[in-house]
Every structure is written in C-alpha cells, then in structure tokens.
C-alpha cells in the first residue's frame, strides 16, 4: 500500500499540459534513498555528465549482451525497414501489431550501427514486453497493477544499453523543451507532469537587505552538488485501443510514480536524462527506454517548406525503385529537395536532377544542398553531391526523350499545395511527360499522392505507357496516402493514343464533383 500512498501524493502535484502523448514525471515525497535490488550488481551513477569510470565498469561487467531494440518507422514501410536492418546489421526484425513499429535483437557491440539506419525515426531499448496482457476491468485495480509492475521489470540490461548509448553519441547538453514525445495518430494522447515549482521558476534577485537573513536557509555546496547529480526522468505513455479502463494520463501518472519511488530519480519534464516509454496497443504492452533525443529523420533539411517529406519516408521510396550505378534519377516536383538529397547521400552512385516550377522551392533546395555540403566539408568528407537543381514546367520538361532511368516525386495532394480540381488536368499531363523522358521497358516511377481517386483515373488513361506494379499505403502527416511503383512499358513515346492530350469532357467533370463529395 505504500506505493499507493505515493501515487496519491503524486496526484496532488499534477499539472495538465497540451495534448501530446501522456508524459509523466513523478516527484516522490519519500526521502529514503536506496539502490534497486535488481540493479545491485550494476553501477549506474546519478550523474548528468559522462563518467569514464561508469563506462569501464559497464565494459568490465558485461563484455557483450544481447537486447531487443524497438524502432518507430514511417507507417507502411515496416518491411522496407526490416530489409535494411537485415542488410546492414544482419538481424531479423519483427513487425509489431501496432503499425509503425518494429523490433529486432542486437548485441551491444553493434549498438552504434543502429543509429546509422536510414529508415527508422526513433529508437528505444526494450525493458520488457507482453504480447497478450490481461488488463483488469476495474480502473483502480489496473492502475495499482501498473504501480506494482515498475518494481518487477528486468531493468538491468536496458539501463546498461542506455548508459552505453550515452557514451556513444555526442553530448548535446540538456534536452530542449520542444523535445516532443512520439505518438501514433490513432492513440489517445495527453501530457501529465509533476515537478517542483521552485525548480521550474527562474531564480529571483535577492535584495541586499535580505541577503544576510537568507544565508542560513541556503543549502550548502555539497547539497547543491548532490541535487545537480540526480538522474532526471520522465515517463511517456502512448496508448491505442478502446478496451482499456484507464487513460494515457492515468497510466503515465501511476506508472511514473512507481518508477520514481523505485529508483529515487528526480522528475523533470524537459531537462530529463532518461525517458521511459510505456507503449500500449490493444493487448500489446511494451516498456522501453528511449535511445534518441529527437527523430532521426531530422538529418538533411534545414530550409523547410509547407509539405517537406521526412527523410525516412524518402529513403523508403528510394528503396522501392532500387537505384543502380549511373542511373539518372529525376524529381520533377522536388519542393525542398528532400527526396534527391536523401538519394544523393545514401545512393550516391546515381545522379539526381531536382526541379520545381516554384522559385521559392528551388531556392530552398539549393540552400539545403549547400547546408549538407558545408556540413560534410566540416567533417572532412567529400563535400560534393551528385545532384543538380533546375526551375521548369513539369508538363514541358527540358529533358531529352527516353533519357531518365527513375522518376521519384511527391505529387501535390490538393491540400496544402495545389487543388483537387487542378489535379484532374495536372496528373494526366504529368504522367504523359514523365513517360516521354523515362526509358521504355526499363524505366520506373515512384509517386506519392493522397489524391487516390484522381491518380487512379489518370493512370487508367496511361495504360499504354505505364503499368502499376505495387502500391504501399502510408501515413503522411495523418493523411492516408499511397506510394505507387510504376513500370514504363516498352511502347515508344509518340506511337500510342496516350501521347495525345485529350481535353476533359462533361463526364470527367461530373466524376470529379462526385469524388470531391466522397472525399470530403
């Protein structure tokens, strides 16, 4: 019942913030400092800075251990991420029932390779997982069970991996307040935090007359140093499913209170050292410790546009078309250049041409390329990239017929860019011009769009030039979109009925209106 008392005490200090995944930092009232029994043989110091003695202790204690790593990936590209992991690390990945997550085993000597993966967004080490967790029907019983769960989990290896991970990556100081927690769009979300008010508020200047009076109450230097060395944490809960008797906030609150009491860590919402993850998806429960401070997709783009794609999603699209040495790869609607930049870095044996009709988009692409080149030069790498940028009209490309091997682009959805009405004319014209510049028989196209009705109609008109091979359904900013892999037919451009642009008739106009109503 003691943990119950701590949870009740924790409730009195809760502050509800904005609606993102449930995040809990529990401030315990207990002053009994102790070492968790399950970690009695593991040296984990409560320090913010890296201590070489800790690393040597870890290495001496366990040369190599095997753990399970969890990763969030762009929804729809789970199999692509699994292929990359098998190719680069040699591990077999398991795709979670909750789309957008995969799990794979690694040994700690390969931990650095995990951060080099191009298809994953966030990484965490799994503490424990339950495939079919038996949830209590009563909220009180379920929350009590979550409190008791914290002291039963096998934390030892996961904390060793967290400590090793901290020594591998460059120190970036405290985490920023904008360090958003990861969440699934379909899950219930919310923030819960409890922290010391004096810690949150900035220090106030003390008048000279009151300085002497407050000297006696000021903590001595040793106490201040001990306070600075306390390990700070927060708990993030991502929950999806409609058969739970508790909310994300309640789960994070009670589980976080028990974690805080068990380890004697200090709660901190923003400047935390350890982020404990509680992922609940229907009957699947996974507890983990985060290994990334921010998503790994934030690696290439410094100048963003209204529809900039994640670099991890770009990588998934590039793997679909399997670039080969000396391939000419074209992005005719490049936006900020996210796709060709990812390709030029990862598949640098091909040559990339990025173009757009908007001068601001072209400028952003050029700036992003320059940013990457400067960064590579600063690290001593070859600064050059096999990429060029052009401003053009997508329906009249200044490119020789049958000279491009692969076309890969993010087409306008008609949401933040373009309009659905214009798409009915734009899509057929784009596909026709793409077919002209693409090599017959061997050319490919990978096209992303959320305007599925319009694209289906356009591709049906291009049956003599394009053949649809595969469709991957993805989540792009909460929108259900499709990534279409097309194969260029062997038909010579200029000898098929699709080569001639036919104006839309009344039937097409009626179809457009009907589709708009269905999608609205």
């Amino acid at each position: 019942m003691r943990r119950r008392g701590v949870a009740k005490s924790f409730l009195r200090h809760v502050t509800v913030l904005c609606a993102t995944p449930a995040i809990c930092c529990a401030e315990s009232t207990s002053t009994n400092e102790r070492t968790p029994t399950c970690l009695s043989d593991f040296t984990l110091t409560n320090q913010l800075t890296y201590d070489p003695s800790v690393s040597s202790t870890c290495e001496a204690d366990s040369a190599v251990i095997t753990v399970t790593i969890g990763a969030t990936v762009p929804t729809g590209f789970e199999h692509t991420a699994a292929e990359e992991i098998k190719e680069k690390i040699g591990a077999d990945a398991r795709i979670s029932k909750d789309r957008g997550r995969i799990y794979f085993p690694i040994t700690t000597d390969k931990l650095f390779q995990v951060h080099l993966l191009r298809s994953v967004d966030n990484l965490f080490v799994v503490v424990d997982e339950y495939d079919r967790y038996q949830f209590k029907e009563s909220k009180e019983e379920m929350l009590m069970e979550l409190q008791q769960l914290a002291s039963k989990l096998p934390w030892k290896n996961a904390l060793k991996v967290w400590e090793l991970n901290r020594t591998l990556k460059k120190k970036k100081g405290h985490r920023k307040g904008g360090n958003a927690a990861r969440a699934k769009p379909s899950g219930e979300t919310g923030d819960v935090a409890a922290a010391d008010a004096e810690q949150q508020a900035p220090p106030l200047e003390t008048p000279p007359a009151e300085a002497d009076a407050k000297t006696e109450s000021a903590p001595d230097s040793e106490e201040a140093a001990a306070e600075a060395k306390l390990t700070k944490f927060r708990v993030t809960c991502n929950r999806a499913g409609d058969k739970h008797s508790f909310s994300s906030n309640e789960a994070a609150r009670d589980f976080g209170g028990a974690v805080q009491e068990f380890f004697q860590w200090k709660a901190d919402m923003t400047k935390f050292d350890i982020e404990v993850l509680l992922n609940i998806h229907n009957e699947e429960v996974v507890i983990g410790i985060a290994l990334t401070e921010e998503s790994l997709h934030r690696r290439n783009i410094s100048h963003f546009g209204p529809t900039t794609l994640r670099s991890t999603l770009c990588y998934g699209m590039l793997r679909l078309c399997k670039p080969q040495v000396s391939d000419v790869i074209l992005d005719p609607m490049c936006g900020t250049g996210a796709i060709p930049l990812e390709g030029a870095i990862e598949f640098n044996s091909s040559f990339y041409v990025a173009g757009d009709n908007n001068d601001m988009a072209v400028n952003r692409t050029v700036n992003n390329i320059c940013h990457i080149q400067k960064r590579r030069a600063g690290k001593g790498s070859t600064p050059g990239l096999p990429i060029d940028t052009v401003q053009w009209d997508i329906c009249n490309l200044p490119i020789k017929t049958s000279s491009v091997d692969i076309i890969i682009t993010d087409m306008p959805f008609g949401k933040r860019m373009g309009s659905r009405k214009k798409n009915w004319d734009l899509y057929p014209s784009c596909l026709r011009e793409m077919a002209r510049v693409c090599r017959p028989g061997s050319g490919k196209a990978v096209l992303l769009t959320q305007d599925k009705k319009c694209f289906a109609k356009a591709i049906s008109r291009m049956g003599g030039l394009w053949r649809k091979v595969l469709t991957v359904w993805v989540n792009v900013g909460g929108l259900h979109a499709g990534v279409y892999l097309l194969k260029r037919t062997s038909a010579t451009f200029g000898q098929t009925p699709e080569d001639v642009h036919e104006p839309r008739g009344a039937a097409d106009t009626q179809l457009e209106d009907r589709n708009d109503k269905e999608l609205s």
Side-chain angles (χ1 to χ4, degrees):
M1 295 301 293
R2 183 182 177 188
R3 285 194 179 84
R4 186 66 176 172
V6 172
K8 289 182 179 179
S9 174
F10 170 65
L11 276 169
R12 292 195 293 268
H13 300 285
V14 167
T15 303
V16 178
L17 303 178
C18 58
T20 48
I23 302 174
C24 158
C25 290
E27 189 75 41
S28 173
T29 57
S30 173
T31 59
N32 180 27
E33 295 187 3
R34 57 187 172 83
T35 302
T37 56
C38 66
L39 297 177
S40 58
D41 58 341
F42 171 59
T43 304
L44 176 67
T45 59
N46 290 332
Q47 296 181 357
L48 290 175
T49 57
Y50 166 61
D51 186 349
S53 63
V54 175
S55 178
S56 60
T57 303
C58 294
E59 293 174 359
D61 182 54
S62 59
V64 175
I65 59 175
T66 301
V67 294
T68 299
I69 298 294
T72 60
V73 301
T75 303
F77 280 107
E78 295 89 352
H79 291 283
T80 302
E83 290 176 2
E84 184 194 12
I85 291 169
K86 181 65 176 178
E87 174 186 306
K88 296 182 178 179
I89 299 181
D92 293 320
R94 170 175 56 87
I95 298 174
S96 171
K97 297 176 182 177
D98 181 14
R99 294 185 67 199
R101 285 194 180 95
I102 59 174
Y103 301 93
F104 56 97
I106 67 158
T107 52
T108 49
D109 59 329
K110 295 183 179 180
L111 183 61
F112 72 96
Q113 297 181 16
V114 176
H115 288 271
L116 302 179
L117 295 173
R118 310 292 294 187
S119 58
V120 302
D121 289 318
N122 293 285
L123 297 165
F124 58 94
V125 56
V126 174
V127 176
D128 206 354
E129 55 183 327
Y130 304 87
D131 188 45
R132 295 185 179 275
Y133 195 93
Q134 299 299 318
F135 291 98
K136 306 290 185 183
E137 294 184 2
S138 169
K139 178 192 294 187
E140 290 73 16
E141 292 180 351
M142 189 62 241
L143 294 178
M144 175 64 74
E145 190 169 287
L146 286 177
Q147 295 174 30
Q148 297 172 351
L149 180 64
S151 61
K152 300 177 181 178
L153 293 172
W155 297 95
K156 179 180 176 180
N157 285 346
L159 286 171
K160 283 184 178 181
V161 172
W162 172 82
E163 185 73 28
L164 176 61
N165 184 74
R166 188 174 64 161
T167 65
L168 291 176
K169 64 186 179 182
K170 293 181 179 180
K171 288 180 56 181
K172 297 181 180 180
H174 293 312
R175 301 181 184 227
K176 298 179 180 180
N179 183 21
R182 278 72 63 190
K184 305 305 292 179
S186 59
E188 181 186 6
T189 59
D191 280 359
V192 177
D196 193 359
E198 294 181 0
Q199 179 185 353
Q200 299 290 339
L204 301 177
E205 294 184 2
T206 304
E210 300 179 7
D212 296 337
K214 292 187 177 182
T215 301
E216 296 180 358
S217 62
D220 57 30
S221 58
E222 293 182 359
E223 293 179 352
E227 177 73 11
K229 291 182 179 180
L230 283 175
T231 296
K232 300 177 182 179
F233 87 108
R234 81 174 184 187
V235 171
T236 301
C237 178
N238 296 316
R239 187 186 69 85
D242 54 1
K243 296 183 179 180
H244 304 134
S245 60
F246 54 90
S247 66
S248 298
N249 288 344
E250 292 167 335
R253 177 196 66 202
D254 285 47
F255 183 74
V259 170
Q260 196 281 334
E261 184 194 12
F262 184 63
F263 286 105
Q264 294 298 303
W265 289 339
K266 185 175 181 60
D268 198 307
M269 183 68 175
T270 57
K271 297 179 181 180
F272 52 89
D273 305 302
I274 298 180
E275 181 177 21
V276 179
L277 305 175
L278 177 60
N279 297 326
I280 302 173
H281 183 264
N282 293 327
E283 295 181 345
E284 184 182 64
V285 177
V286 179
I287 300 94
I289 297 177
L291 300 180
T292 49
E293 295 185 4
E294 63 177 6
S295 177
L296 297 178
H297 82 267
R298 302 175 181 273
R299 55 178 177 250
N300 297 335
I301 306 301
S302 58
H303 295 74
F304 291 84
T307 58
T308 300
L309 288 182
R310 290 178 169 231
S311 296
T312 47
L313 180 57
C314 298
Y315 178 81
M317 294 173 64
L318 284 158
R319 278 190 73 100
L320 279 181
C321 58
K322 299 178 180 178
Q324 303 297 316
V325 176
S326 75
D327 276 353
V328 176
I329 301 178
L330 171 68
D331 184 350
M333 293 177 277
C334 65
T336 56
I339 296 175
L341 263 176
E342 181 68 20
I345 294 172
E346 184 64 16
F347 305 96
N348 54 15
S349 296
S350 303
F351 181 75
Y352 299 82
V353 181
D356 203 287
N357 68 334
N358 187 291
D359 57 344
M360 292 182 62
V362 174
N363 288 335
R364 291 191 186 104
T365 300
V366 172
N367 290 332
N368 285 323
I369 294 173
C370 293
H371 172 75
I372 295 295
Q373 290 177 333
K374 290 179 181 178
R375 190 173 68 185
R376 289 162 65 93
K379 294 180 179 180
S381 303
T382 304
L385 290 173
I387 184 173
D388 204 353
T389 309
V390 187
Q391 183 173 354
W392 55 32
D393 176 8
I394 175 58
C395 298
N396 189 22
L397 297 175
I399 295 178
K400 185 179 179 181
T401 300
S402 304
S403 61
V404 174
D405 297 287
I406 296 173
I407 298 173
I408 179 168
T409 194
D410 173 20
M411 303 183 75
F413 292 5
K415 297 283 187 178
R416 281 173 287 183
M417 293 295 292
S419 69
R420 290 190 179 276
K421 289 185 178 181
K422 291 182 179 180
N423 284 350
W424 286 93
D425 284 328
L426 177 65
Y427 279 21
S429 299
C430 288
L431 289 171
R432 185 177 296 106
E433 185 65 2
M434 290 177 187
R436 181 186 70 81
V437 301
C438 198
R439 297 187 190 279
S442 62
K444 290 174 285 188
V446 176
L447 309 177
L448 168 66
T449 180
Q450 189 260 344
D451 198 348
K452 299 179 284 291
K453 297 284 186 179
C454 181
F455 186 83
K457 182 66 176 179
I459 202 67
S460 67
R461 296 179 181 178
M462 299 290 117
L465 297 172
W466 292 109
R467 178 172 57 88
K468 187 167 66 174
V469 177
L470 177 67
T471 303
V472 178
W473 301 110
V474 298
N475 186 309
V476 182
L479 299 176
H480 185 251
V483 176
Y484 300 90
L485 174 61
L486 308 179
K487 182 69 179 295
R488 176 69 166 86
T489 66
S490 57
T492 303
F493 188 85
Q495 299 181 3
T496 65
E498 290 82 3
D499 301 341
V500 181
H501 177 70
E502 298 178 0
R504 294 165 55 208
D508 289 336
T509 304
Q510 294 176 4
L511 178 62
E512 172 195 326
D513 295 337
R514 184 169 66 254
N515 288 332
D516 285 341
K517 290 180 181 179
E518 291 176 357
L519 295 172
S520 61

